[in-house]
Amino acid sequence: MKVFRTAEEIQSYSLNKRKEGKTIGFVPTMGYLHEGHQRLIKEARTHDDIVILSIFVNPLQFGPSEDFERYPRDEERDLKIAEMENVDAVFIPTVNDMYPRSLSITMKVTERTDVLCGKSREGHFDGVATVLTKLFHLILPHRAYFGLKDAQQVAVVDALIEDLNFPVELIPVPTVREGDGLARSSRNVYLSEEERQEAKYLYQALEHGRSLVKNGEKDRNVIINEVRNFINEHTHGKIDYVDLLTYPELQPLTHINQRVILAIAVFFNKARLIDNVIFEQNGELSYE
Ligand code: PAF
């Protein structure tokens, strides 16, 4: 497995692989790899000749009061996992490599961001779109793999690729869960033992909402209220949002008549957990 740390090295590696006629699958990450990332890598491994993983904690997508400094990092462990998963090349730039000077040009995402996490994380998706634009230019992937745990991110990447005509196919990959349903996340390490027990109810709350739709409920407000009540009854977490929107456009709707996302964000003491389910109007899951 090759490890590259500079933009020039990774770009020339990718150009050579393309010249050799290989397809490139790209898994962008901020490191501290877990099973969710491993699933993305496995997915890439089945579709593409070459799998490139990036590890970069992108300061541009963290707000001033967010956890950039204390975001968990463990390069040695990440490289072991990448090697075990047969990744061909890992790109690990420093902040200085990615942003050697202050940027004259950045991305501004104007749709799909005024709801869910975008609402409370101003500028977050601008930072994501900016770093992904740079990474797509450096890694030149045929396909890019993103986890549906961050479904709003997938919706934004979908728009980025379409609006700016990147020749990249977006592959959304279903969320990997613990045995009790908790979505895998690097931020789960921040949960106390008691909070970890309660966190399993977040997925149950979403499934409760989806089961209402399966049983014929179509009213958005009824479903949202039921999910809110479920979370409040089973956890001490503070709800940031519970929302139900069209997917991937992320538009509000009153009556479920198309594919939707039911999404939640809940604050625990040191962690804000997000989760979602995406389903059709009959309640059947859209991605499995
Ligand atoms: O999902 C993430 O880990 C990040 O937002 C990404 C896509 C690697 C961009 O920094």
Side-chain angles (χ1 to χ4, degrees):
M1 185 178 79
K2 301 212 174 303
V3 178
F4 298 111
R5 295 187 187 268
T6 69
E8 293 73 25
E9 283 172 336
I10 189 70
Q11 201 177 44
S12 90
Y13 174 83
S14 290
L15 279 168
N16 283 332
K17 291 298 168 196
R18 278 194 164 245
K19 274 188 207 139
E20 288 168 17
K22 309 272 194 222
T23 68
I24 299 175
F26 175 37
V27 179
T29 80
M30 299 207 298
Y32 214 70
L33 303 180
H34 52 69
E35 274 188 34
H37 299 111
Q38 287 174 260
R39 169 131 191 215
L40 299 180
I41 298 169
K42 284 190 170 77
E43 210 49 52
R45 201 61 287 168
T46 61
H47 287 103
D48 290 297
D49 302 323
I50 298 292
V51 177
I52 302 182
L53 177 87
S54 67
I55 299 177
F56 179 60
V57 185
N58 173 34
L60 246 57
Q61 67 190 75
F62 288 79
S65 61
E66 292 182 357
D67 57 350
F68 174 68
E69 294 298 342
R70 68 184 182 101
Y71 192 85
R73 293 162 168 91
D74 192 340
E75 182 180 311
E76 208 182 305
R77 186 177 149 274
D78 286 348
L79 289 177
K80 277 195 195 127
I81 294 176
E83 181 116 55
M84 200 174 80
E85 294 295 341
N86 284 322
V87 166
D88 296 285
V90 185
F91 177 47
I92 316 184
T94 62
V95 172
N96 200 44
D97 283 319
M98 286 301 276
Y99 306 117
R101 57 184 172 88
S102 70
L103 291 172
S104 324
I105 298 169
T106 57
M107 316 297 297
K108 177 96 199 126
V109 187
T110 52
E111 303 260 327
R112 307 183 179 189
T113 51
D114 56 348
V115 290
L116 310 180
C117 292
K119 200 167 159 183
S120 55
R121 299 186 74 188
E122 221 212 304
H124 168 72
F125 288 110
D126 299 343
V128 171
T130 303
V131 79
L132 287 177
T133 298
K134 287 173 72 80
L135 289 168
F136 285 167
H137 288 313
L138 294 175
I139 285 162
L140 307 166
H142 294 81
R143 279 176 274 270
Y145 297 81
F146 289 85
L148 279 161
K149 179 169 164 292
D150 289 330
Q152 186 169 20
Q153 174 166 276
V154 174
V156 168
V157 177
D158 172 68
L160 176 72
I161 288 176
E162 204 176 308
D163 288 0
L164 300 190
N165 301 94
F166 280 101
V168 178
E169 188 186 347
L170 167 63
I171 312 285
V173 179
T175 303
V176 175
R177 300 182 179 282
E178 306 281 354
D180 63 3
L182 176 65
R184 294 266 167 139
S185 161
S186 306
R187 291 192 169 97
N188 291 348
V189 293
Y190 299 149
L191 296 172
S192 70
E193 250 174 63
E194 191 195 343
E195 288 175 336
R196 173 62 190 82
Q197 287 311 310
E198 291 186 355
K200 66 174 178 236
Y201 290 110
L202 301 186
Y203 180 55
Q204 290 185 22
L206 291 169
E207 279 297 89
H208 174 59
R210 189 167 76 87
S211 75
L212 294 173
V213 178
K214 276 182 116 169
N215 291 322
E217 182 59 66
K218 297 285 176 203
D219 188 314
R220 170 180 184 261
N221 289 339
V222 171
I223 297 157
I224 288 177
N225 282 336
E226 283 274 342
V227 173
R228 290 190 81 92
N229 291 341
F230 191 101
I231 295 170
N232 286 332
E233 273 164 29
H234 291 87
T235 80
H236 290 90
K238 188 173 157 293
I239 295 174
D240 182 7
Y241 64 72
V242 174
D243 213 345
L244 201 153
L245 302 161
T246 65
Y247 196 81
E249 305 81 8
L250 304 182
Q251 293 297 313
L253 78 176
T254 47
H255 199 77
I256 299 175
N257 57 4
Q258 63 171 100
R259 178 177 293 185
V260 291
I261 178 168
L262 175 59
I264 57 180
V266 178
F267 286 106
F268 287 90
N269 212 4
K270 291 194 184 130
R272 176 177 170 280
L273 301 189
I274 60 170
D275 202 356
N276 69 77
V277 283
I278 298 170
F279 52 89
E280 306 301 317
Q281 57 178 319
N282 60 4
E284 291 300 328
L285 287 172
S286 308
Y287 303 92
E288 268 181 288

